[in-house]
Amino acid sequence: MDKFDYDVYSLSSYDYYLPDELIAQSPSEKRDESKLLTMNRMTGKIKDEEKFHNIINYLKEGDVLVRNNTKVIPARLFGIKKATNGHCEVLLLSQVKDEKDTWLALVGNAKIVKVGTIISFGNNDEILATCVEVLDEGIRKFKLSYEGIFLEVLDKLGKMPLPPYIHNQLYDNSRYQTVYAQIEGSAAAPTAGFHFTEELFDELKKKGVTIVDVTLHIGLGTFRPVKSDDIRNHTMHSEYCYMSKESADILNKAKAEKRRIIAIGTTSLRTLESVYKKYNHFEECSINTNLFIYPGYKYEAIDALITNFHLPKSTLIMLVCAFSTRDNVLKAYNHAVENKYRFFSFGDSMFLY
């Protein structure tokens, strides 16, 4: 679709102007009353919808709507180094498979954390984190010790890991979760899902739309910035995803019957594309994906995408450009800027079909 009359591998190709005041600092009062911009991904034709709830007019009987049911954990921890009493901020990214109580984490001042460093969280060493491996880009592997049930202790000590561009305090943690969040383990929210309510899902089901859940626990792969001028030098960190047999069966049937598969958000999309790419069909599986999508990628799993407006030069805007064309997407983004849409995690929504 994209004719590449630009340098597809240049980071600057995915830049756009965004005034700071359009970065949403809090969610809309009602989830489904954020604005919606729709775009035909082939023609680039766009339309403004006053309320996200109007998405119901764009979905039809037989459509399969796929959502990421991951649940954000309060992964941001503030602790003290046992040896020096120095302050240390840690963001838990993902649990290490087959290593009990072992986590990969991003450390704020990583240089002070070496193998053997012990960090205490809570007034009474409620969680002790011992660094067992030093990795690149500020990432450390920690072995944790605690009393009781880990997620209960974490719920007491941790903070919601809001993105750095959100400066307001979040008074209701449920607003940084989707209404369908179920499987705990994510370091960030699948924000495209914020716009949905249980009532909207009920209306869609009555219309004949099938709802399917997959899981991708969001870690560094989704939100890590691209630093290299040549995007091919960017490495996506691996993220865990899961698809059940029930979901795979529904999706395979939809494919066979040429019905639309619509992803809610880039993480649902990456799960669908990763599974389909691996097996050439949908299949029950637990896999790790580091799929990096940018123009030139051939989509095979999905037919439409509901997503928010993403950061300039991010892997997510590259993914969206690959689903349409860079020119179409940047024109739509510029239109959104001119019409005062709200951007990023708590912002408005876009439907590409």
Side-chain angles (χ1 to χ4, degrees), residues 263-331:
I264 301 177
T266 59
T267 57
S268 299
L269 179 155
R270 288 180 64 241
T271 302
L272 292 165
E273 291 292 327
S274 296
V275 173
Y276 203 88
K277 189 180 179 77
K278 183 177 177 66
Y279 299 105
N280 205 32
H281 61 272
F282 298 109
E283 186 163 310
E284 179 181 13
C285 61
S286 296
I287 62 174
N288 290 307
T289 181
N290 61 352
L291 181 62
F292 179 19
I293 297 175
Y294 51 85
Y297 177 86
K298 185 174 183 289
Y299 279 92
E300 297 182 74
I302 72 158
D303 303 289
L305 171 66
I306 298 166
T307 189
N308 283 14
F309 294 94
H310 302 293
L311 277 74
K313 299 182 178 181
S314 65
T315 60
L316 301 180
I317 195 171
M318 295 171 195
L319 176 153
V320 177
C321 288
F323 191 58
S324 176
T325 70
R326 187 200 66 147
D327 287 351
N328 284 347
V329 171
L330 291 185
K331 281 177 186 174

Side-chain angles (χ1 to χ4, degrees), residues 131-145:
C131 178
V132 294
E133 188 176 348
V134 171
L135 301 167
D136 292 336
E137 299 174 318
I139 298 173
R140 301 291 184 265
K141 184 191 282 191
F142 289 103
K143 178 74 173 177
L144 307 184
S145 61

